Amino acid sequence: GLVAKWSAAHIGSAFALTELVRQNKIQCHCLPQGVIVNLWREIAAGRPGLMTKIGLGTFVDPRIEGGKMNEVTTEDLVELVEFQGEEYHFYKSFPVNVAILRGTTADENGNITFEHESMMNEGLSVAMAAKNTGGIVIVQVEYVTKGGTMNPKEVKIPGILVDYVVQATDPM
């Protein structure tokens, strides 16, 4: 009951959420990876959305499915627009109520590093998008250390953007 809407570029590896989508218990949009990465940046910057030709003629095209993954998803996040005589998709910004991210180490001030993560992905952009739209940022880490002990150049998400840190040391 904690999740009502989910927007992602890939939903296959979040098994519990995917099952909720299949059962029509939550709304879900699946948008192209490159689009959603750039859309988070647009949301973080406070812009209304992203205009691109990406997705024309595919399942994200509003003339087909609009990226909606089930029957209970009714909101249109993708709009077909014309600009200078050509068709584009306009991917609308949306509020990021909760960002759940993964890092390696957090200090007492919430600064996050990624030294054991295979990649950072768009953690910073997602955190900024959440904060810009009034959402909260939760980061799961392996380690927590004292404030002021981390190399500032290794901090990838500054603590000012982090609301909660959850330490999870068990790999299972």
Side-chain angles (χ1 to χ4, degrees), residues 22 35 47 62 69 88 91 95 100 105 114 128 137 139 167:
R22 282 192 192 118
V35 167
R47 292 188 279 265
M69 298 304 290
Y88 287 85
Y91 293 86
I100 301 173
T105 305
F114 283 73
M128 290 189 303
V137 177
V139 183
Q167 186 177 16

Side-chain angles (χ1 to χ4, degrees), residues 102 104 139-144 166-171:
R102 166 90 184 153
T104 301
V139 183
Q140 176 189 330
V141 297
E142 289 180 66
Y143 311 105
V144 177
V166 177
Q167 186 177 16
T169 56
D170 184 356

Side-chain angles (χ1 to χ4, degrees), residues 32-70:
Q33 176 71 36
V35 167
I36 202 160
V37 164
N38 285 292
L39 186 54
W40 285 323
R41 292 178 185 153
E42 295 300 301
I43 296 167
R47 292 188 279 265
L50 174 70
M51 192 168 71
T52 179
K53 289 183 173 274
I54 302 298
L56 287 171
T58 71
F59 81 101
V60 296
D61 194 312
R63 297 171 288 194
I64 301 173
E65 296 176 19
K68 299 171 187 163
M69 298 304 290
N70 59 17

Side-chain angles (χ1 to χ4, degrees), residues 10 12 15 22-23 35 37-38 51 72 77 102-103 107 118 127 141 146 151 153 163 166:
H10 174 67
F15 304 119
R22 282 192 192 118
Q23 295 173 7
V35 167
V37 164
N38 285 292
M51 192 168 71
V72 298
L77 291 186
R102 166 90 184 153
D107 71 7
S118 59
V141 297
K146 293 204 177 288
N151 180 344
K153 291 184 178 186
D163 295 293
V166 177

